[in-house]
Amino acid sequence: MKFYLPTLLALFLFAAPNAFAQETPQKALDGGNIAQAETLLKEMSTQDDAEKAVSGLCGLAQLETAKGNIEQSNTYLQQALEKSGKIDKKKGWAVVISWLQADNARRKNDITGCKNALKEMREHLENATKISPVWKGILEYTTSLIETENDDARDAAEAAIEAYNNTKFKFERGMAYLRLGDLEWARDKQRRAFNYYDDAIHDFRTDASKVALRMAAQTQLIIAKKKLETNDLKGAKSRTTLAQKDIEVAGNPEDLVKEFKAIESKIQ
């Protein structure tokens, strides 16, 4: 497993209380009406109020990224960056824009571009005193995904966890624990890896959102497969039992059910 960065933007762009207050587009998205959300965001993006315009442009960029239209997303972000100069730096819009640019670069496997955007994000965070501390976690977590040296990646994942400790974002902290578990496994620290995987599961269950419950089940399957890799059949069986329960709680996603059955067949 290479990356653990699902579609987090909806959680932050429309829901983070300290940085965003646009409820109408979020309601449209919650209702599955993407076209309506896009219409509302376009209306926001043309307003004279710079903050509302930037919010709308960032939302449009997010939607384009979700569609796979990275170039169009970056166009919106460039427009947002130009307008953000009129907004108080303490509100942190430059932080948001930099991260969106970094995420787009990462999706294109442009590691240099991603690192440059994260560097700018780090600098902007120094002035963003009115932004949620969750953005520090987002910065460090993303850094952990692109660092090639295990030590540096672990340092970033640990920094992300520390930042998330001061927030209510349990799902995001769970993702950081999951990343740290992978990094520990990569350096053959199996006990530590399993402990971090369990920390991730705990946070996912605590969050209890649909995506978090799915990740709890998926993490159980990750552990089961790694138990199989080490010929720990008893441990693998125990984990598949737990995974089955978490899969049911998550609504029995078809792909996870299929993966569960494949693992179970190797144990029997």
Side-chain angles (χ1 to χ4, degrees), residues 152-170:
D152 293 336
R154 281 188 291 110
D155 286 346
E158 289 170 353
I161 290 167
E162 183 177 356
Y164 289 136
N165 284 340
N166 299 318
T167 74
K168 296 181 180 180
F169 288 76
K170 300 302 182 184

PDB file of all heavy atoms in Angstrom, residues 152-170:
ATOM      1  N   ASP A 152      12.655  10.199   7.895  1.00  0.00           N
ATOM      2  CA  ASP A 152      11.993  11.486   7.672  1.00  0.00           C
ATOM      3  C   ASP A 152      10.480  11.309   7.566  1.00  0.00           C
ATOM      4  O   ASP A 152       9.713  12.130   8.083  1.00  0.00           O
ATOM      5  CB  ASP A 152      12.524  12.135   6.390  1.00  0.00           C
ATOM      6  CG  ASP A 152      13.989  12.540   6.503  1.00  0.00           C
ATOM      7  OD1 ASP A 152      14.451  12.755   7.642  1.00  0.00           O
ATOM      8  OD2 ASP A 152      14.656  12.640   5.454  1.00  0.00           O
ATOM      9  N   ALA A 153      10.061  10.254   6.902  1.00  0.00           N
ATOM     10  CA  ALA A 153       8.626   9.988   6.754  1.00  0.00           C
ATOM     11  C   ALA A 153       7.996   9.701   8.114  1.00  0.00           C
ATOM     12  O   ALA A 153       6.887  10.166   8.410  1.00  0.00           O
ATOM     13  CB  ALA A 153       8.403   8.820   5.808  1.00  0.00           C
ATOM     14  N   ARG A 154       8.701   8.930   8.951  1.00  0.00           N
ATOM     15  CA  ARG A 154       8.172   8.629  10.293  1.00  0.00           C
ATOM     16  C   ARG A 154       8.093   9.880  11.149  1.00  0.00           C
ATOM     17  O   ARG A 154       7.125  10.080  11.895  1.00  0.00           O
ATOM     18  CB  ARG A 154       9.029   7.564  10.975  1.00  0.00           C
ATOM     19  CG  ARG A 154       8.723   6.148  10.503  1.00  0.00           C
ATOM     20  CD  ARG A 154       9.432   5.100  11.325  1.00  0.00           C
ATOM     21  NE  ARG A 154      10.868   5.113  11.125  1.00  0.00           N
ATOM     22  CZ  ARG A 154      11.772   5.499  12.014  1.00  0.00           C
ATOM     23  NH1 ARG A 154      11.380   5.903  13.219  1.00  0.00           N
ATOM     24  NH2 ARG A 154      13.059   5.471  11.742  1.00  0.00           N
ATOM     25  N   ASP A 155       9.112  10.722  11.051  1.00  0.00           N
ATOM     26  CA  ASP A 155       9.085  11.979  11.807  1.00  0.00           C
ATOM     27  C   ASP A 155       7.863  12.811  11.424  1.00  0.00           C
ATOM     28  O   ASP A 155       7.193  13.393  12.289  1.00  0.00           O
ATOM     29  CB  ASP A 155      10.358  12.786  11.543  1.00  0.00           C
ATOM     30  CG  ASP A 155      11.580  12.216  12.242  1.00  0.00           C
ATOM     31  OD1 ASP A 155      11.410  11.371  13.141  1.00  0.00           O
ATOM     32  OD2 ASP A 155      12.708  12.611  11.881  1.00  0.00           O
ATOM     33  N   ALA A 156       7.573  12.848  10.135  1.00  0.00           N
ATOM     34  CA  ALA A 156       6.421  13.621   9.663  1.00  0.00           C
ATOM     35  C   ALA A 156       5.112  12.999  10.128  1.00  0.00           C
ATOM     36  O   ALA A 156       4.192  13.707  10.563  1.00  0.00           O
ATOM     37  CB  ALA A 156       6.453  13.724   8.139  1.00  0.00           C
ATOM     38  N   ALA A 157       4.999  11.672  10.056  1.00  0.00           N
ATOM     39  CA  ALA A 157       3.778  10.995  10.506  1.00  0.00           C
ATOM     40  C   ALA A 157       3.552  11.223  11.996  1.00  0.00           C
ATOM     41  O   ALA A 157       2.420  11.455  12.443  1.00  0.00           O
ATOM     42  CB  ALA A 157       3.863   9.508  10.201  1.00  0.00           C
ATOM     43  N   GLU A 158       4.626  11.162  12.775  1.00  0.00           N
ATOM     44  CA  GLU A 158       4.520  11.400  14.218  1.00  0.00           C
ATOM     45  C   GLU A 158       4.114  12.845  14.499  1.00  0.00           C
ATOM     46  O   GLU A 158       3.324  13.111  15.415  1.00  0.00           O
ATOM     47  CB  GLU A 158       5.845  11.065  14.895  1.00  0.00           C
ATOM     48  CG  GLU A 158       6.142   9.562  14.929  1.00  0.00           C
ATOM     49  CD  GLU A 158       7.556   9.247  15.382  1.00  0.00           C
ATOM     50  OE1 GLU A 158       8.357  10.202  15.541  1.00  0.00           O
ATOM     51  OE2 GLU A 158       7.873   8.054  15.570  1.00  0.00           O
ATOM     52  N   ALA A 159       4.650  13.779  13.710  1.00  0.00           N
ATOM     53  CA  ALA A 159       4.285  15.192  13.872  1.00  0.00           C
ATOM     54  C   ALA A 159       2.810  15.404  13.524  1.00  0.00           C
ATOM     55  O   ALA A 159       2.125  16.215  14.153  1.00  0.00           O
ATOM     56  CB  ALA A 159       5.174  16.064  12.995  1.00  0.00           C
ATOM     57  N   ALA A 160       2.335  14.671  12.524  1.00  0.00           N
ATOM     58  CA  ALA A 160       0.924  14.765  12.154  1.00  0.00           C
ATOM     59  C   ALA A 160       0.037  14.292  13.290  1.00  0.00           C
ATOM     60  O   ALA A 160      -0.963  14.935  13.638  1.00  0.00           O
ATOM     61  CB  ALA A 160       0.658  13.947  10.895  1.00  0.00           C
ATOM     62  N   ILE A 161       0.408  13.172  13.888  1.00  0.00           N
ATOM     63  CA  ILE A 161      -0.373  12.624  15.003  1.00  0.00           C
ATOM     64  C   ILE A 161      -0.412  13.620  16.158  1.00  0.00           C
ATOM     65  O   ILE A 161      -1.464  13.859  16.755  1.00  0.00           O
ATOM     66  CB  ILE A 161       0.221  11.278  15.457  1.00  0.00           C
ATOM     67  CG1 ILE A 161      -0.021  10.212  14.378  1.00  0.00           C
ATOM     68  CG2 ILE A 161      -0.373  10.838  16.798  1.00  0.00           C
ATOM     69  CD1 ILE A 161       0.769   8.946  14.574  1.00  0.00           C
ATOM     70  N   GLU A 162       0.726  14.221  16.441  1.00  0.00           N
ATOM     71  CA  GLU A 162       0.790  15.204  17.528  1.00  0.00           C
ATOM     72  C   GLU A 162      -0.128  16.393  17.240  1.00  0.00           C
ATOM     73  O   GLU A 162      -0.816  16.890  18.141  1.00  0.00           O
ATOM     74  CB  GLU A 162       2.227  15.691  17.707  1.00  0.00           C
ATOM     75  CG  GLU A 162       2.393  16.667  18.857  1.00  0.00           C
ATOM     76  CD  GLU A 162       3.844  17.077  19.071  1.00  0.00           C
ATOM     77  OE1 GLU A 162       4.725  16.552  18.371  1.00  0.00           O
ATOM     78  OE2 GLU A 162       4.087  17.935  19.936  1.00  0.00           O
ATOM     79  N   ALA A 163      -0.136  16.831  15.988  1.00  0.00           N
ATOM     80  CA  ALA A 163      -1.000  17.957  15.624  1.00  0.00           C
ATOM     81  C   ALA A 163      -2.471  17.576  15.734  1.00  0.00           C
ATOM     82  O   ALA A 163      -3.292  18.354  16.223  1.00  0.00           O
ATOM     83  CB  ALA A 163      -0.680  18.419  14.197  1.00  0.00           C
ATOM     84  N   TYR A 164      -2.820  16.381  15.304  1.00  0.00           N
ATOM     85  CA  TYR A 164      -4.204  15.934  15.358  1.00  0.00           C
ATOM     86  C   TYR A 164      -4.664  15.684  16.782  1.00  0.00           C
ATOM     87  O   TYR A 164      -5.869  15.687  17.055  1.00  0.00           O
ATOM     88  CB  TYR A 164      -4.385  14.650  14.540  1.00  0.00           C
ATOM     89  CG  TYR A 164      -4.287  14.835  13.045  1.00  0.00           C
ATOM     90  CD1 TYR A 164      -3.561  13.944  12.258  1.00  0.00           C
ATOM     91  CD2 TYR A 164      -4.917  15.902  12.419  1.00  0.00           C
ATOM     92  CE1 TYR A 164      -3.482  14.107  10.877  1.00  0.00           C
ATOM     93  CE2 TYR A 164      -4.839  16.072  11.037  1.00  0.00           C
ATOM     94  CZ  TYR A 164      -4.131  15.170  10.277  1.00  0.00           C
ATOM     95  OH  TYR A 164      -4.052  15.329   8.919  1.00  0.00           O
ATOM     96  N   ASN A 165      -3.723  15.468  17.698  1.00  0.00           N
ATOM     97  CA  ASN A 165      -4.090  15.259  19.097  1.00  0.00           C
ATOM     98  C   ASN A 165      -4.849  16.450  19.663  1.00  0.00           C
ATOM     99  O   ASN A 165      -5.607  16.326  20.612  1.00  0.00           O
ATOM    100  CB  ASN A 165      -2.842  15.003  19.945  1.00  0.00           C
ATOM    101  CG  ASN A 165      -2.289  13.601  19.761  1.00  0.00           C
ATOM    102  OD1 ASN A 165      -2.983  12.708  19.306  1.00  0.00           O
ATOM    103  ND2 ASN A 165      -1.035  13.408  20.118  1.00  0.00           N
ATOM    104  N   ASN A 166      -4.630  17.617  19.089  1.00  0.00           N
ATOM    105  CA  ASN A 166      -5.259  18.833  19.580  1.00  0.00           C
ATOM    106  C   ASN A 166      -6.558  19.164  18.841  1.00  0.00           C
ATOM    107  O   ASN A 166      -7.085  20.261  18.953  1.00  0.00           O
ATOM    108  CB  ASN A 166      -4.289  20.008  19.436  1.00  0.00           C
ATOM    109  CG  ASN A 166      -3.023  19.803  20.247  1.00  0.00           C
ATOM    110  OD1 ASN A 166      -3.085  19.345  21.381  1.00  0.00           O
ATOM    111  ND2 ASN A 166      -1.881  20.132  19.673  1.00  0.00           N
ATOM    112  N   THR A 167      -7.060  18.221  18.072  1.00  0.00           N
ATOM    113  CA  THR A 167      -8.282  18.444  17.301  1.00  0.00           C
ATOM    114  C   THR A 167      -9.264  17.290  17.529  1.00  0.00           C
ATOM    115  O   THR A 167      -8.946  16.314  18.194  1.00  0.00           O
ATOM    116  CB  THR A 167      -7.969  18.522  15.786  1.00  0.00           C
ATOM    117  OG1 THR A 167      -7.690  17.200  15.292  1.00  0.00           O
ATOM    118  CG2 THR A 167      -6.773  19.420  15.520  1.00  0.00           C
ATOM    119  N   LYS A 168     -10.415  17.411  16.918  1.00  0.00           N
ATOM    120  CA  LYS A 168     -11.422  16.345  16.983  1.00  0.00           C
ATOM    121  C   LYS A 168     -11.374  15.460  15.742  1.00  0.00           C
ATOM    122  O   LYS A 168     -12.259  14.634  15.541  1.00  0.00           O
ATOM    123  CB  LYS A 168     -12.816  16.961  17.136  1.00  0.00           C
ATOM    124  CG  LYS A 168     -13.016  17.732  18.431  1.00  0.00           C
ATOM    125  CD  LYS A 168     -14.425  18.296  18.516  1.00  0.00           C
ATOM    126  CE  LYS A 168     -14.622  19.065  19.826  1.00  0.00           C
ATOM    127  NZ  LYS A 168     -16.004  19.638  19.931  1.00  0.00           N
ATOM    128  N   PHE A 169     -10.352  15.607  14.940  1.00  0.00           N
ATOM    129  CA  PHE A 169     -10.276  14.880  13.671  1.00  0.00           C
ATOM    130  C   PHE A 169      -9.684  13.491  13.883  1.00  0.00           C
ATOM    131  O   PHE A 169      -8.516  13.232  13.596  1.00  0.00           O
ATOM    132  CB  PHE A 169      -9.452  15.680  12.660  1.00  0.00           C
ATOM    133  CG  PHE A 169     -10.162  16.891  12.148  1.00  0.00           C
ATOM    134  CD1 PHE A 169     -10.278  18.028  12.927  1.00  0.00           C
ATOM    135  CD2 PHE A 169     -10.741  16.888  10.890  1.00  0.00           C
ATOM    136  CE1 PHE A 169     -10.949  19.150  12.451  1.00  0.00           C
ATOM    137  CE2 PHE A 169     -11.412  17.999  10.409  1.00  0.00           C
ATOM    138  CZ  PHE A 169     -11.519  19.130  11.191  1.00  0.00           C
ATOM    139  N   LYS A 170     -10.516  12.591  14.373  1.00  0.00           N
ATOM    140  CA  LYS A 170     -10.059  11.228  14.676  1.00  0.00           C
ATOM    141  C   LYS A 170      -9.743  10.445  13.408  1.00  0.00           C
ATOM    142  O   LYS A 170      -8.798   9.648  13.383  1.00  0.00           O
ATOM    143  CB  LYS A 170     -11.120  10.491  15.496  1.00  0.00           C
ATOM    144  CG  LYS A 170     -11.450  11.157  16.823  1.00  0.00           C
ATOM    145  CD  LYS A 170     -10.216  11.305  17.697  1.00  0.00           C
ATOM    146  CE  LYS A 170     -10.581  11.928  19.035  1.00  0.00           C
ATOM    147  NZ  LYS A 170      -9.383  12.168  19.883  1.00  0.00           N
TER     148      LYS A 170
END
